[in-house]
């Protein structure tokens, strides 16, 4: 601590030795003027010190200031100075006296505390922002995992980005279209701007430049980041005066173009835009890039599913006749529905083909399993059936030949259930011979409305060399209808409450009698309705993968 005195009449400033030492001056070396004092201070502190002293002199009041002293070694010392004005009897300020104290330790402690508090606040803010971003990414991941429909999913993501205030405007684009890119999703914080944004996109589709913007992101997979969009950038991007006016009307202020990567490729890009002065920082960029990675993976999964679904549907169509043949005197109709969307290829199939003059074969079957392996077995069975039908007119012998063929080719544990029907159309009606191998026997509805099941029996096809198959015959007259079906009908529903034979007979009896199409449509709707409305029962509910395929064939005699 040191003391000082200032004489307003002479301008002389006197310091004692302790004060000189406080300023790291040798005793007696202080110059004695206000300028000598100010020369020792940090330049930034001089103006406020001068203002405080002048105010104290004018008001005749005390003053208290803190300032920094620049030391010879380049260090800084904090001084707190307190002064009291000296006045004469008339109230005129004649001088000032005061003390100065070294408060360097206190200031350093205070600064350290303030720095620690600032660091803590910054860390808390960063943690809060990080948590909010993780929560947003979690919600986006939930949306991305909720559907394999690409357009719907990415539109939901764009809506969520805007709703969560990550950006004011979000656009998702994929390579394609006549302009090189197609817009798949669009969201804006102001719904009224969405139509305008679409019109702008149509009137001025993006230019895919290799050096910047969307084109660069699609080509390199590296994000483009503009924390602030300068006015000249709009002028450079505009293609004409009208385009520039439109761009300016959007109040663009910041932008990011984020790649949607997957397996080393860029599948698309997501553009996030800030408007009306909003800017983006590196945290926003990091969150957007992570979101782009998730969206790219989801997009890739959706594409893979679409490709697999196309292959499955194409393969499934190849295992079923594209159309049923026109048979004089008969009306034919068929229905097929795979049971599981997970596999896309079912094990049920049907076929109708000629076997001589006015003679036809109707086949329905169910092979063990689902997916590609089931499809391979289905193809083998179908071709074996057609080959065997050329060698014999007996459905039972056809099944024997198919059984031997499957055993010879060694399909392992796989097998098939089959129903083979030989129909000979004659003047007195359709003569029907039926043989089954482990398959439900067909139903016959007579013109009078009664329903009967054709009685015959046979073992699973492709399991035992000594498998035995029998036949039964009947005649169908005008108005009679034959229904072939797989167990996807009778075993529909829950394991505790199946659709069953009794319901099937009842629905078949009540089905429209005018066309075969009406019959299979009525039965299929009833089965699907029963499956959809079956109440879940803990422990007995069936998953989608457990649902069986459904195949139906109806033959109505005209």
């Amino acid at each position: 601590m040191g003391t000082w005195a200032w004489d307003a009449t002479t301008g002389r400033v006197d310091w004692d030795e302790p004060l000189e030492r406080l300023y790291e001056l040798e005793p007696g070396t202080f110059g004695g003027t206000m300028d000598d004092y100010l020369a020792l201070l940090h330049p930034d502190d001089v103006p406020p010190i001068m203002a405080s002293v002048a105010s104290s002199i004018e008001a005749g009041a005390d003053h208290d200031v803190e300032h920094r002293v620049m030391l010879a070694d380049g260090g800084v010392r904090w001084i707190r100075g307190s002064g009291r004005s000296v006045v004469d009897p008339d109230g005129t300020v004649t001088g000032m006296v005061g003390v100065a104290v070294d408060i360097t330790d206190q200031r350093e402690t205070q600064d350290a505390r303030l720095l620690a508090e600032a660091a803590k606040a910054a860390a808390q803010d960063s943690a809060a922002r990080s948590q909010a971003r993780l929560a947003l990414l979690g919600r986006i991941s939930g949306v991305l995992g909720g559907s394999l429909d690409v357009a719907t999913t990415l539109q939901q993501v764009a809506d969520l980005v805007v709703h969560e205030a990550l950006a004011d405007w979000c656009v998702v684009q994929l390579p394609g279209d006549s302009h090189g890119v197609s817009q798949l999703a669009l969201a804006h914080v102001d719904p009224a701007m969405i139509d305008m944004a679409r019109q702008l996109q149509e009137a001025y589709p993006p230019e895919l430049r290799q050096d910047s913007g969307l084109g660069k992101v699609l080509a390199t997979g590296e994000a483009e980041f503009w924390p602030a969009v300068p006015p000249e950038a709009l002028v450079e991007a505009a293609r004409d005066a009208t385009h520039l006016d439109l761009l300016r009307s959007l109040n663009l202020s910041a932008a990011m173009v984020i790649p949607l990567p997957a397996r080393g490729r860029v599948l698309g890009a997501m553009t996030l835009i800030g408007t009306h002065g909003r800017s983006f920082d590196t945290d926003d960029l990091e969150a957007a890039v992570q979101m782009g990675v998730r969206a790219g993976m989801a997009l890739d999964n959706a594409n893979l599913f679409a490709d697999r679904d196309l292959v499955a549907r194409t393969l499934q169509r190849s295992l079923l006749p594209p159309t049923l043949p026109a048979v004089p005197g008969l009306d034919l109709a068929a229905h097929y529905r795979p049971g599981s969307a997970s596999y896309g290829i079912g094990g049920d199939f049907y076929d109708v083909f000629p076997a001589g003059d006015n003679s036809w074969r109707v086949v329905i079957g169910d092979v063990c399993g689902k997916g590609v392996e089931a499809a391979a077995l289905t193809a083998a069975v179908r071709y074996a059936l057609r080959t065997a039908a050329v060698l014999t007119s007996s459905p039972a012998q056809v099944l024997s030949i198919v059984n031997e063929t499957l055993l010879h080719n060694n399909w392992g544990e796989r097998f098939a259930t089959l129903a083979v029907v030989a129909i000979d159309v004659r003047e007195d009606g359709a003569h029907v011979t039926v043989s089954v191998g482990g398959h439900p026997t067909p139903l016959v509805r007579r013109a009078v409305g009664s329903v009967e099941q054709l009685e015959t029996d046979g073992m699973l096809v492709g399991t035992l060399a000594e498998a035995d198959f029998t036949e039964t015959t009947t005649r169908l007259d005008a108005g009679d209808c034959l229904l072939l079906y797989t167990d996807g009908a009778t075993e529909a529903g829950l394991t505790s409450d199946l659709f069953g034979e009794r319901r099937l007979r009842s629905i078949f009896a009540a089905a429209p009698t005018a066309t075969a199409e009406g019959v299979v449509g009525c039965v299929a709707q009833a089965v699907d309705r029963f499956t959809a409305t079956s109440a879940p029962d803990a422990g007995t509910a069936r998953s989608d993968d457990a649902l069986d395929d459904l195949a139906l064939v109806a033959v109505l005699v005209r």
Side-chain angles (χ1 to χ4, degrees):
M1 179 183 295
T3 63
W4 55 270
W6 171 64
D7 185 340
T9 303
T10 63
R12 176 71 186 177
V13 179
D14 293 318
W15 285 9
D16 62 7
E17 288 187 8
L19 185 57
E20 288 180 311
R21 287 196 298 272
L22 201 60
Y23 281 76
E24 289 196 345
L25 298 177
E26 293 294 328
T29 60
F30 177 63
T33 67
M34 180 65 72
D35 289 340
D36 292 328
Y37 162 62
L38 296 176
L40 299 172
L41 305 187
H42 190 288
D44 292 344
D45 294 345
V46 172
I49 292 295
M50 293 290 293
S52 177
V53 171
S55 177
S56 296
I57 293 174
E58 183 179 356
D62 299 343
H63 76 274
D64 192 83
V65 295
E66 293 182 2
H67 59 76
R68 290 163 290 179
V69 176
M70 302 302 297
L71 303 179
D73 61 0
V76 174
R77 176 173 292 165
W78 277 93
I79 302 294
R80 179 174 183 177
S82 299
R84 172 161 293 179
S85 297
V86 178
V87 297
D88 61 15
D90 298 331
T92 302
V93 175
T94 60
M96 187 174 290
V97 295
V99 297
V101 181
D102 183 350
I103 61 169
T104 302
D105 290 345
Q106 295 94 315
R107 282 301 300 251
E108 288 179 349
T109 301
Q110 179 183 1
D111 289 346
R113 186 183 72 253
L114 292 175
L115 285 173
E117 291 175 352
K120 180 180 179 181
Q124 290 175 338
D125 179 66
S126 177
R129 292 187 62 176
S130 217
Q131 185 175 6
R133 291 289 188 251
L134 286 174
L136 173 60
L137 290 173
R139 289 190 289 274
I140 287 174
S141 296
V143 169
L144 291 170
S147 171
L148 288 171
D149 181 89
V150 176
T152 300
T153 298
L154 293 181
Q155 182 60 56
Q156 290 175 337
V157 171
D159 291 337
L160 189 58
V161 166
V162 171
H163 181 266
E164 296 287 345
L166 186 59
D168 299 323
W169 187 359
C170 181
V171 182
V172 183
Q173 294 163 308
L174 305 182
D177 204 351
S178 57
H179 302 293
V181 65
S182 61
Q183 182 170 290
L184 201 63
L186 171 65
H188 199 290
V189 67
D190 180 5
M193 294 293 292
I194 293 178
D195 286 341
M196 180 179 178
R198 285 201 179 98
Q199 292 172 9
L200 177 65
Q201 176 78 14
E202 293 173 359
Y204 298 95
E207 292 181 326
L208 300 183
R209 299 172 51 182
Q210 295 296 311
D211 59 340
S212 66
L214 179 61
K216 181 180 179 181
V217 172
L218 291 174
T220 66
E222 298 177 359
E224 289 275 83
F225 181 46
W226 298 274
V229 177
E232 56 268 22
L234 299 182
V235 176
E236 181 181 350
R239 300 178 198 173
D240 53 42
T242 302
H243 191 200
L244 180 60
D245 289 342
L246 287 172
L247 291 176
R248 285 172 173 167
S249 70
L250 297 174
N251 294 299
L252 310 179
S253 56
M256 297 182 282
V257 184
I258 308 300
L260 307 183
R263 296 189 295 159
R265 298 181 300 137
V266 180
L267 304 182
M270 180 178 297
T271 302
L272 288 77
I273 297 174
T275 63
H276 296 87
R278 175 177 179 167
S279 63
F280 293 139
D281 58 24
T282 54
D283 287 341
D284 295 322
L285 176 62
E286 181 182 356
V289 169
Q290 293 181 14
M291 179 179 63
V293 170
R294 287 164 170 77
M297 293 173 60
L299 181 57
D300 187 51
N301 288 337
N303 289 339
L304 288 174
F305 179 83
D307 291 342
R308 191 200 72 171
D309 188 52
L310 176 61
V311 170
R313 285 186 282 109
T314 302
L315 182 55
Q316 185 70 68
R317 284 196 299 267
S318 73
L319 301 176
L320 300 173
T323 58
L324 295 180
V327 180
L330 302 179
D331 181 22
L332 303 177
H335 173 84
Y336 173 79
R337 184 259 298 147
S340 172
S342 301
Y343 290 95
I345 306 172
D348 289 7
F349 73 98
Y350 63 87
D351 200 2
V352 180
F353 54 90
D357 293 340
N358 296 320
S359 185
W360 299 84
R361 299 296 178 265
V362 180
V363 178
I364 195 165
D366 183 359
V367 303
C368 176
K370 291 180 173 64
V372 175
E373 292 182 347
L377 181 55
T378 299
V381 170
R382 188 167 177 234
Y383 295 133
L385 281 165
R386 288 203 168 211
T387 302
V390 174
L391 301 176
T392 177
S393 61
S394 166
Q397 292 181 18
V398 166
L399 290 176
S400 294
I401 295 172
V402 174
N403 184 64
E404 292 175 5
T405 302
L406 296 186
L407 290 173
H408 177 73
N409 290 331
N410 189 20
W411 288 90
E413 300 296 324
R414 295 188 174 274
F415 58 87
T417 70
L418 297 171
V420 179
V421 179
I423 303 178
D424 295 315
V425 181
R426 303 173 188 172
E427 293 183 358
D428 61 344
H431 291 255
V432 174
T433 302
V434 178
S435 184
V436 299
H439 198 86
T441 53
L443 297 175
V444 173
R445 186 185 68 187
R446 300 299 179 182
V448 295
S450 62
V451 174
E452 60 190 63
Q453 191 153 23
L454 300 179
E455 296 296 334
T456 186
D457 196 12
M459 302 175 67
L460 296 173
V461 180
T463 57
L464 297 174
E466 61 273 17
D468 187 33
F469 307 100
T470 63
E471 295 179 351
T472 187
T473 61
T474 189
R475 191 182 73 185
L476 302 181
D477 297 321
D480 291 347
C481 184
L482 178 71
L483 178 66
L484 291 80
Y485 60 94
T486 59
D487 58 10
T490 53
E491 296 182 5
L494 303 176
T495 54
S496 60
D497 183 20
L498 300 178
F499 190 78
E501 295 281 354
R502 187 166 56 86
R503 284 192 180 91
L504 179 60
R505 286 170 175 260
S506 176
I507 295 298
F508 183 33
T513 60
T515 64
E517 185 65 40
V519 172
V520 296
C522 180
V523 173
Q525 289 178 10
V527 171
D528 290 342
R529 190 183 310 115
F530 178 82
T531 303
T533 57
S534 294
D537 183 7
T540 60
R542 303 172 69 176
S543 67
D544 174 64
D545 287 347
L547 295 177
D548 206 351
D549 316 311
L550 174 64
L552 303 168
V553 178
V555 181
L556 179 65
V557 180
R558 292 172 176 169

